[in-house]
């Protein structure tokens, strides 16, 4: 018996279930007819766009969390390389031909990775079922059992069981690998940046090493300053595990307090260096701090042994901020003032801070990694902060984690 040839492209296009195909940078690469029908969008409107530019949160809904939940699921897939089934999700979608209008929608999504020859995530298959009609019908059902038909009662029971199953799945996921979950919770608690909510133009990413406890000494921070400016910082404590994370938490808090009081990035790092001498495990920590003066449009910065931030001009020219670099914390036996430098910026530019896991590769000179970084930044300088952050991780091959931990801040100026 001869096996018939299967045209998988036609199969994908004609399957009745809505599908999207995404790259690791969450750019839409393909979409089938069922998805176009479900969203009432044209192919040309979706293919080639960043997922969350095509489908942002509904600005009229203060409780909208579709982007946050779907983004979290996508990044779980990139890290774990395993499928991720989401709970039923309210995610309103833009109405075509009606700018600013959104339509209430409920979805049941599954995100599945496809691995490339190198074992890394090459594609994400986003499958959804539109369950809006079912959810809204359930919400509108009369409360009295006597007025509900047998079929409606069955639907109600099915809906309740489905919700319970989704809850159990979430609980099982959270209970899996208890030590890892405790570590993740600790890391997330220590990386809280309350001022970050004030900056829609700032994107942050934290990725633990692909192999490890999922907790480390890398950190990022965003701090608002009294004069209307703000500061950003990234740092890297030597080592991994809970001990490194604990040191990271102490240093991060100390630097945040210092810059609020002093505003000067070099003096803030000086204070941090003095404090680090009394913290076991803090020596050899690297950190870079930048203060963005939004009134005078300049950036002052200082670095303690850290890879240089990158300022991307609006036209795509990249400038390494490497004119105020000093040894890591504790490298000198005596206290020495830290250097500081400043550089002007123009609106539309981008500031990028990162830890070495983003650019360093084993057996390779760090300059090669810096060149890769600046090439990607120059080619994508007009992207939003969130889109650029995902693009960087994808193009540098670390969307699912690298050999080392990564902290990243992208600021659209």
């Amino acid at each position: 018996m001869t096996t018939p040839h299967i045209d998988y492209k036609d199969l994908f296009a004609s399957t009745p279930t809505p599908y999207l195909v995404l790259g690791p940078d969450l750019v839409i690469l393909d979409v089938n007819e069922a998805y176009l029908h479900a969203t009432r969008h044209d192919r040309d409107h979706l293919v080639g766009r960043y997922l969350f530019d095509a489908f942002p949160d509904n600005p009229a809904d203060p409780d909208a969390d579709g982007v946050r939940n779907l983004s979290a699921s996508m990044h779980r897939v990139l890290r774990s390389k395993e499928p991720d089934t989401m709970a039923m999700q309210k995610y309103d979608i833009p109405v075509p031909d009606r700018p600013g209008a959104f339509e209430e929608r409920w979805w049941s999504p599954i995100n599945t990775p496809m691995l490339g020859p190198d074992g890394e995530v090459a594609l994400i298959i986003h499958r959804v079922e539109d369950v809006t009609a079912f959810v809204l019908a359930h919400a509108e059902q009369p409360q009295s059992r006597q007025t509900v038909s047998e079929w409606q009662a069955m639907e109600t029971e099915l809906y309740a069981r489905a919700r319970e199953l989704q809850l159990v799945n979430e609980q099982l996921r959270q209970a899996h690998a208890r030590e890892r979950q405790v570590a993740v919770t600790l890391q997330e608690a220590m990386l809280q940046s309350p001022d970050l909510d004030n900056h829609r133009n700032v994107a942050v990413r934290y990725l633990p090493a692909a192999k490890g406890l999922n907790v480390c000494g890398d950190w990022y921070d965003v701090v608002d300053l009294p004069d209307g400016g703000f500061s950003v910082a990234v740092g890297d404590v030597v080592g991994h595990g809970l001990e490194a994370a604990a040191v990271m938490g102490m240093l991060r808090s100390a630097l945040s307090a210092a810059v609020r009081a002093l505003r000067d990035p070099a003096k803030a790092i000086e204070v941090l260096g003095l404090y680090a001498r009394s913290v076991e495990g803090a020596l050899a920590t690297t950190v870079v701090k930048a203060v963005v003066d939004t009134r005078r449009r300049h950036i002052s910065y200082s670095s303690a042994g850290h890879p240089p931030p990158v300022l991307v001009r609006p036209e795509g020219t990249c400038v390494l901020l490497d004119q105020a670099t000093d040894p890591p914390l504790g490298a000198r036996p005596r206290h020495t003032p830290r250097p500081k430098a400043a550089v002007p910026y123009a609106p539309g530019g981008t500031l990028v801070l990162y830890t070495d896991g983003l650019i360093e590769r084993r057996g390779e000179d760090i300059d090669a990694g810096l060149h890769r970084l600046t090439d990607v930044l120059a080619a994508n300088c007009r992207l939003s902060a969130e889109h650029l952050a995902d693009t960087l991780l994808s193009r540098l091959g670390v969307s699912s984690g690298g050999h080392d931990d990564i902290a990243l801040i992208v600021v659209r100026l």
Side-chain angles (χ1 to χ4, degrees):
M1 179 178 178
T2 303
T3 303
H5 171 71
I6 300 176
D7 189 327
Y8 288 98
K9 184 174 182 180
D10 284 347
L11 180 64
F12 170 76
S14 60
T15 184
T17 301
Y19 282 95
L20 277 182
V21 181
L22 302 161
D25 55 358
L26 306 187
V27 169
I28 300 170
L29 302 179
D30 204 354
V31 55
N32 71 350
E33 291 299 325
Y35 193 94
L36 296 175
H37 177 74
T39 61
R40 295 190 287 125
H41 280 71
D42 296 328
R43 181 180 301 276
D44 292 343
H45 177 76
L46 297 180
V47 174
R49 296 190 68 189
Y50 181 55
L51 177 61
F52 301 118
D53 286 345
F55 296 105
D57 272 331
N58 183 354
D61 182 0
D63 298 322
D65 58 3
V67 168
R68 182 183 65 195
N69 294 340
L70 182 54
S71 177
S73 174
M74 293 292 183
H75 286 97
R76 278 197 298 269
V77 170
L78 289 168
R79 289 194 302 270
S80 70
K81 304 178 186 177
E82 298 287 342
D84 189 78
T85 301
M86 298 179 64
M88 197 176 298
Q89 176 68 54
K90 183 179 184 293
Y91 197 140
D92 299 346
I93 62 172
V95 179
D97 303 323
R98 289 176 56 194
F102 281 72
E103 179 180 354
E104 181 178 350
R105 291 292 189 89
W106 289 80
W107 309 90
S108 179
I110 300 175
N111 301 308
T112 304
M114 290 186 63
L115 305 184
D118 59 355
E120 298 300 320
V121 177
L123 301 170
I124 298 177
I125 308 300
H126 174 60
R127 170 190 169 185
V128 292
E129 293 287 354
D130 186 351
V131 294
T132 306
F134 177 73
V135 171
L136 296 183
H138 175 267
E140 295 169 359
Q141 282 184 6
Q143 297 300 312
S144 173
R145 275 253 177 220
Q146 287 74 16
T147 62
V148 180
S149 69
E150 182 179 349
W151 179 254
Q152 287 174 317
M154 188 180 300
E155 281 189 335
T156 301
E157 186 70 14
L158 178 62
Y159 177 80
R161 297 290 80 77
R163 294 294 290 179
E164 289 176 4
L165 180 60
Q166 290 162 358
L167 179 60
V168 169
N169 284 338
E170 287 297 316
Q171 291 172 340
L172 286 174
R173 176 185 292 148
Q174 293 172 7
H176 179 66
R178 182 176 300 274
E179 185 179 13
R180 174 179 286 268
Q181 186 59 42
V182 170
V184 171
T185 303
L186 172 65
Q187 189 84 24
E188 290 176 347
M190 289 191 293
L191 286 176
Q192 285 292 322
S193 291
D195 293 343
L196 182 60
D197 292 339
N198 302 326
H199 298 275
R200 297 294 182 183
N201 60 330
V202 178
V204 297
R205 297 288 186 271
Y206 161 73
L207 278 80
K211 297 180 180 179
L213 183 61
N214 221 37
V215 63
C216 67
D218 286 24
W219 86 82
Y220 59 77
D221 199 16
V222 179
V223 177
D224 283 336
L225 300 175
D227 60 0
F230 64 96
S231 76
V232 289
V234 293
D236 185 355
V237 173
V238 174
H240 298 82
L242 296 175
E243 294 81 3
V247 174
M248 174 273 287
M250 290 186 283
L251 296 183
R252 181 177 181 268
S253 297
L255 183 59
S256 178
V259 77
R260 291 175 193 273
L262 300 172
R263 196 186 187 282
D264 184 291
K267 292 181 179 178
I269 292 182
E270 285 180 34
V271 171
L272 183 67
L274 293 172
Y275 175 67
R277 295 182 182 184
S278 64
V279 178
E280 184 177 355
L283 301 185
T285 294
T286 68
V287 60
V288 61
K289 166 70 77 173
V291 172
V292 180
D293 188 326
T294 54
R295 294 178 180 175
R296 293 187 292 173
R297 291 181 179 170
H298 81 246
I299 300 166
S300 55
Y301 64 94
S302 184
S303 173
H306 204 82
V310 183
L311 175 63
V312 189
R313 305 291 189 190
E315 73 280 3
T317 304
C318 293
V319 180
L320 296 180
L321 304 188
D322 57 2
Q323 300 303 302
T325 301
D326 225 25
L329 303 183
R332 289 196 177 106
R334 295 181 180 180
H335 171 67
T336 304
R338 294 278 178 174
K340 180 179 72 170
V343 61
Y345 72 84
T350 305
L351 176 64
V352 179
L353 285 73
Y354 54 93
T355 53
D356 56 10
L358 183 68
I359 60 169
E360 287 189 350
R361 302 293 180 266
R362 293 175 181 174
E364 180 182 82
D365 189 88
I366 192 173
D367 287 340
L370 285 171
H371 286 143
R372 273 196 304 271
L373 173 64
T374 53
D375 285 347
V376 174
L377 289 173
N380 298 277
C381 62
R382 298 187 182 278
L383 298 182
S384 67
E386 293 287 343
H387 191 176
L388 182 55
D390 286 330
T391 297
L392 278 173
L393 297 176
S394 172
R395 300 290 171 82
L396 296 178
V398 291
S399 292
S400 54
H403 293 294
D404 198 3
D405 317 300
I406 298 169
L408 171 66
I409 297 182
V410 178
V411 183
R412 287 287 284 172
L413 300 165

